[in-house]
Amino acid sequence: MTTNTKTPAAVLPLNSILSGDCIEAMRALPDACVDLIFADPPYNLQLKGTLHRPNNTQVDACDDHWDQFDSFRAYDEFTRAWLAEARRLLKPDGALWVIGSYHNIFRVGAELQNQGFWILNDVVWRKSNPMPNFRGKRLTNAHETMIWASRDEGAKYTFNYEALKELNDGVQMRSDWVIPICNGGERLKDDKGDKAHPTQKPEALLHRILVGCTKPGDVVLDPFFGTGTTGAVAKMLGRDWIGIEREEAYRKVAEKRLSKVRRFDKTALEVTQSKRAEPRVPFGQLVERGMLRPGEMLVSPRGQMAKVRADGTLIADDVKGSIHKVGATLEGAPSCNGWTYWHFRRDGKTVSIDVLRQQIRAEMGR
Amino acid sequence: MTTNTKTPAAVLPLNSILSGDCIEAMRALPDACVDLIFADPPYNLQLKGTLHRPNNTQVDACDDHWDQFDSFRAYDEFTRAWLAEARRLLKPDGALWVIGSYHNIFRVGAELQNQGFWILNDVVWRKSNPMPNFRGKRLTNAHETMIWASRDEGAKYTFNYEALKELNDGVQMRSDWVIPICNGGERLKDDKGDKAHPTQKPEALLHRILVGCTKPGDVVLDPFFGTGTTGAVAKMLGRDWIGIEREEAYRKVAEKRLSKVRRFDKTALEVTQSKRAEPRVPFGQLVERGMLRPGEMLVSPRGQMAKVRADGTLIADDVKGSIHKVGATLEGAPSCNGWTYWHFRRDGKTVSIDVLRQQIRAEMGR
DNA sequence: CACGGCAATGAATCGTACT
DNA sequence: AAGTACGATTCATTGCCGT
């Protein structure tokens, strides 16, 4: 695979399901074309005939250690191949989510790290209604594990912190998510009324992932598309999606499902923004506009004083510099947000200078 | 290492702490001599800079030398070596528990499988009070992962299903356990009042593992003993233990701690064979968390007495069972709400156990 | 003594944009 | 590319101290 077989992004097969083996299908896509990948790979180590040893002989059912080892090796090879393609398709600041159980997740996680992905969190899907352990020989297997990883260490991955915090009743979202398994009306059935897919994931899971880790208009790839939960939620949320699925029966169910999905209206898609996303206002503008006068004194919560200078810096004793630097120095702190630290007096009341910044931002919005 | 270097089990260094490197120390022990291994290996955290809270105080990070590895490869080699020795020390029907975070657990789990261990469950320790994510860049890292594995596939490992079910108030124990982090009076301090060990595990965690996966008189090995939580709980529960710890400071703290631990009395250690119980917040959690101690007496409004047992059941005269069943039997009533019926004494006052349930509910409300 | 306020702290892979 | 400056960011629990 060379990197000069690029296809213009304009011809990406957006919002469609590709048929065929996921590794082959990924090879036909250009480098760095997707923002997020959600992957729910098979974890049956025998993979029902889909797994082959490196010499192309088929792995069959086994229970002794050598065969077990062979089976692990074949699974590792499969994992290495699809993860490498997934990595190639990700934009530099893209990220990957992968879900699995104890049968496969340790192998997937180790290979992720080996390839240079940078794990951001492991997340536990805590099932509120799991299937019990009927034989009483083990604990109820009541969760699955997801790994969230950026393509590279230091990448500027998307994380809508405030949005997830809102989803979680005002406290920051944790790494353990309590979500019911997919059943009831959401569970897709085939013509005979049986479940259409053995491991259909709940839309709530994908909703949280896509709200938290993508922006509207992002491209989301699911190389193990199944009956299309990823595509359905992506469509609802106004994200573009690409699915890959080799089983025709699943593709058919997914096509039908997706044709019925409607995008949420635009205002419903807006999520709470971080302050970081708001425009930067230089402190000097407050002076330029006459909201604060040169020579005026600012005061900190602990009673520290500083004088405003004409160039938008402060001076306190022998300390000069920005509102942040002077605040940090006076507090002996490694850093300080001068906007919330400093206050001024008007009509006998003490007011945060951040109020003035908000006034300017409000004017900019008009 | 040949298999004929066996030492008679009689000379096993039971109930003592071995000093030195865990791999070397394990090599000095005979094949197939322990029933259960609990291992809390270094996590290889790979922390880079310093982290400050929003109030500018610095987070006391785990940056100890013993947690530093040069590369994944070095960590894998370390993992391979200690796991191989652990496997050799296990009896054929023995089992291993290992705890870790996303930094290391995938590598440990994969190597476990490579060596022929058979994973029985992965278990999530959901922390009720984790440290938040201060910069809002990721999800709150609110859990750690444990792997429970038998030495071999098909082994007849110990699993006290009924005991864990009783601990969970009559419903099957799940693979996700909500337990607070270790702090307050349980957290060991050094001479200066600082935490004696950066990563001391809560006794409730070990209590559940040892009640569920060992029998009285079993030998429990902890190759990363630290300040001895495994030994302390093993001693309370009447299990023999062996600890290995290379840091003298930790050994000293552990020795002092263990000298003070007392074994629970015999009736408290008997584990229920029957079925029964039903409600919601498990009474057993009060025991695991140390809110009530095995052997402690409860009293009813009419002065009936009952003793708390390690699996969360009560015993009064010849009546054994849940708080509800014992209450009903003593009253000659068809049923009884044990939560309002039973009381315990603290500081000379009589308090309903329902107060403790409300505390747990408050914790779990999040 | 009870209660409230305030400080301390826990296995953490914890910036970003501009010059 | 590297250096500099801005400025955003926390939850549950324990324990001390003052009223």
Side-chain angles (χ1 to χ4, degrees):
Chain A
M1 173 55 62
T2 60
T3 55
N4 54 11
T5 58
K6 288 191 182 177
T7 309
V11 300
L12 275 181
L14 292 181
N15 308 312
S16 64
I17 308 174
L18 309 179
S19 61
D21 172 75
C22 85
I23 297 167
E24 294 299 325
M26 284 196 282
R27 283 195 177 129
L29 296 173
D31 292 2
C33 66
V34 305
D35 298 283
L36 192 86
I37 295 177
F38 178 85
D40 182 11
Y43 58 79
N44 179 340
L45 295 183
Q46 274 76 46
L47 289 177
K48 299 197 165 56
T50 65
L51 262 189
H52 293 78
R53 297 190 178 90
N55 66 6
N56 225 20
T57 60
Q58 191 168 323
V59 174
D60 41 28
C62 53
D63 44 15
D64 73 273
H65 284 165
W66 280 112
D67 278 349
Q68 197 61 51
F69 181 77
D70 235 18
S71 176
F72 282 135
R73 206 164 58 173
Y75 189 78
D76 291 346
E77 190 47 53
F78 164 72
T79 301
R80 178 159 31 248
W82 79 257
L83 273 178
E85 278 305 305
R87 188 170 164 75
R88 183 183 64 81
L89 298 189
L90 279 177
K91 296 178 184 176
D93 290 332
L96 170 81
W97 282 77
V98 57
I99 184 168
S101 69
Y102 66 81
H103 304 89
N104 71 321
I105 198 66
F106 304 116
R107 316 201 75 82
V108 173
E111 180 59 24
L112 267 177
Q113 293 179 308
N114 291 343
Q115 293 198 10
F117 284 96
W118 193 246
I119 298 181
L120 299 167
N121 279 114
D122 59 335
V123 180
V124 174
W125 168 27
R126 199 259 187 189
K127 303 177 186 181
S128 53
N129 49 351
M131 186 186 307
N133 184 296
F134 294 112
R135 301 184 57 192
K137 294 300 194 185
R138 303 182 184 191
L139 303 166
T140 305
N141 199 354
H143 75 277
E144 292 187 29
T145 300
M146 297 183 286
I147 302 174
W148 174 34
S150 60
R151 200 190 78 168
D152 300 285
E153 181 181 359
K156 283 177 271 181
Y157 55 91
T158 296
F159 182 52
N160 300 318
Y161 173 78
E162 295 288 345
L164 288 188
K165 188 172 176 178
E166 292 293 335
L167 265 186
N168 197 36
D169 210 18
V171 287
Q172 62 179 212
M173 186 69 78
R174 299 167 41 117
S175 58
D176 55 324
W177 296 357
V178 179
I179 291 175
I181 59 176
C182 179
N183 54 17
E186 189 185 324
R187 188 75 194 232
L188 298 167
K189 302 285 170 35
D190 62 19
D191 304 332
K192 290 175 292 191
D194 298 326
K195 55 192 177 188
H197 191 280
T199 65
Q200 184 183 341
K201 296 294 177 286
E203 293 184 0
L205 206 60
L206 271 298
H207 181 97
R208 194 175 287 186
I209 291 170
L210 296 186
V211 165
C213 302
T214 63
K215 306 185 190 90
D218 275 2
V219 177
V220 178
L221 169 70
D222 185 337
F224 307 97
F225 200 60
T227 47
T229 305
T230 302
V233 178
K235 185 173 177 183
M236 290 178 205
L237 291 173
R239 275 71 168 161
D240 287 320
W241 54 272
I242 302 172
I244 302 172
E245 176 53 49
R246 36 178 273 169
E247 302 290 332
E248 187 184 5
Y250 298 156
R251 287 199 305 273
K252 277 189 171 169
V253 173
E255 294 281 12
K256 185 176 169 189
R257 173 188 195 174
L258 278 151
S259 69
K260 292 190 215 160
V261 169
R262 288 290 164 266
R263 188 175 180 277
F264 297 146
D265 69 70
K266 193 152 178 273
T267 54
L269 294 182
E270 292 169 4
V271 298
T272 309
Q273 290 293 313
S274 162
K275 284 185 189 170
R276 275 183 270 255
E278 297 188 58
R280 179 174 293 190
V281 177
F283 175 72
Q285 278 204 20
L286 275 55
V287 183
E288 287 174 354
R289 297 184 178 209
M291 300 167 100
L292 292 173
R293 289 170 292 101
E296 183 165 2
M297 297 304 291
L298 299 186
V299 59
S300 79
R302 296 203 309 136
Q304 309 274 13
M305 306 280 286
K307 182 184 292 182
V308 176
R309 304 203 296 178
D311 63 353
T313 59
L314 301 185
I315 181 166
D317 301 331
D318 55 346
V319 187
K320 295 184 274 191
S322 70
I323 53 173
H324 314 291
K325 184 183 171 191
V326 173
T329 304
L330 292 179
E331 292 296 320
S335 68
C336 172
N337 184 342
W339 289 107
T340 53
Y341 180 76
W342 292 111
H343 299 252
F344 64 100
R345 295 191 65 79
R346 280 290 182 281
D347 307 325
K349 283 182 292 190
T350 303
V351 184
S352 168
I353 61 172
D354 205 32
V355 170
L356 302 178
R357 179 169 66 163
Q358 287 163 22
Q359 286 179 18
I360 291 180
R361 278 182 175 157
E363 292 169 19
M364 292 167 69
R366 287 188 215 115
Chain B
M1 176 58 59
T2 61
T3 56
N4 54 10
T5 58
K6 287 192 181 175
T7 308
V11 300
L12 274 182
L14 292 181
N15 308 312
S16 65
I17 307 174
L18 310 180
S19 62
D21 173 74
C22 83
I23 297 165
E24 295 298 325
M26 284 196 281
R27 284 196 177 126
L29 296 173
D31 292 2
C33 65
V34 305
D35 298 283
L36 191 86
I37 295 176
F38 177 85
D40 182 11
Y43 288 8
N44 188 23
L45 241 32
Q46 305 173 70
L47 302 177
K48 303 255 160 50
T50 57
L51 178 64
H52 292 86
R53 299 185 180 83
N55 65 5
N56 274 322
T57 60
Q58 189 174 327
V59 173
D60 181 20
C62 177
D63 52 3
D64 303 76
H65 63 91
W66 48 257
D67 198 50
Q68 312 293 327
F69 292 83
D70 291 334
S71 61
F72 281 137
R73 190 171 183 171
Y75 188 80
D76 291 345
E77 188 47 51
F78 164 75
T79 301
R80 177 159 33 244
W82 78 257
L83 272 178
E85 279 304 308
R87 187 170 163 75
R88 184 183 63 80
L89 298 187
L90 278 178
K91 295 178 185 174
D93 290 332
L96 169 81
W97 282 77
V98 57
I99 185 168
S101 68
Y102 65 83
H103 309 84
N104 71 322
I105 198 64
F106 304 117
R107 316 198 77 82
V108 172
E111 180 58 22
L112 266 176
Q113 293 178 308
N114 291 345
Q115 293 197 11
F117 283 96
W118 192 250
I119 299 180
L120 299 167
N121 278 112
D122 58 336
V123 179
V124 174
W125 169 26
R126 303 171 65 207
K127 304 179 184 183
S128 55
N129 50 347
M131 185 163 72
N133 184 293
F134 295 115
R135 305 301 295 266
K137 304 307 290 182
R138 303 182 178 191
L139 303 167
T140 308
N141 198 352
H143 75 277
E144 294 188 26
T145 301
M146 297 183 288
I147 302 174
W148 174 33
S150 59
R151 199 190 80 168
D152 299 286
E153 182 181 359
K156 283 180 259 176
Y157 55 90
T158 296
F159 182 54
N160 299 319
Y161 174 78
E162 292 292 343
L164 287 187
K165 190 171 174 180
E166 289 291 344
L167 267 185
N168 201 31
D169 217 11
V171 280
Q172 266 186 10
M173 186 67 80
R174 299 167 45 113
S175 57
D176 58 316
W177 299 354
V178 178
I179 291 175
I181 60 175
C182 179
N183 57 13
E186 189 186 324
R187 189 77 194 230
L188 298 167
K189 302 286 166 48
D190 62 18
D191 304 332
K192 291 175 292 190
D194 298 326
K195 56 189 175 190
H197 192 283
T199 70
Q200 186 184 340
K201 296 295 176 287
E203 292 184 2
L205 209 58
L206 272 297
H207 182 101
R208 195 174 287 188
I209 291 170
L210 295 187
V211 165
C213 302
T214 62
K215 305 185 189 89
D218 274 3
V219 177
V220 179
L221 169 70
D222 186 336
F224 307 96
F225 201 59
T227 47
T229 305
T230 302
V233 178
K235 185 174 177 183
M236 290 179 204
L237 293 173
R239 275 70 169 161
D240 286 321
W241 55 271
I242 302 171
I244 303 172
E245 175 53 49
R246 57 180 219 183
E247 302 289 331
E248 187 185 4
Y250 300 156
R251 287 200 304 273
K252 277 189 171 171
V253 173
E255 295 279 12
K256 183 176 171 190
R257 171 189 197 174
L258 278 152
S259 68
K260 291 191 212 158
V261 170
R262 289 290 165 266
R263 190 174 182 279
F264 295 149
D265 71 71
K266 194 154 178 271
T267 53
L269 287 181
E270 284 174 15
V271 163
T272 306
Q273 297 300 318
S274 69
K275 308 178 192 277
R276 203 46 255 161
E278 53 223 349
R280 309 149 188 209
V281 169
F283 174 75
Q285 284 205 11
L286 277 52
V287 182
E288 286 181 333
R289 297 181 181 208
M291 300 167 99
L292 293 172
R293 297 184 49 255
E296 184 166 358
M297 298 304 293
L298 299 186
V299 60
S300 78
R302 295 203 307 138
Q304 308 275 13
M305 307 279 284
K307 183 184 291 183
V308 176
R309 304 203 296 175
D311 64 354
T313 57
L314 301 186
I315 181 168
D317 301 327
D318 57 345
V319 187
K320 297 185 272 192
S322 71
I323 54 175
H324 315 289
K325 180 185 173 190
V326 173
T329 304
L330 292 180
E331 291 299 322
S335 67
C336 167
N337 182 346
W339 287 108
T340 54
Y341 181 75
W342 292 111
H343 299 253
F344 65 102
R345 294 192 67 79
R346 278 292 182 284
D347 305 321
K349 285 182 293 191
T350 302
V351 184
S352 168
I353 60 172
D354 206 32
V355 169
L356 302 178
R357 177 168 68 160
Q358 285 162 21
Q359 286 181 18
I360 289 184
R361 278 188 174 150
E363 286 176 20
M364 297 176 76
R366 279 265 160 246

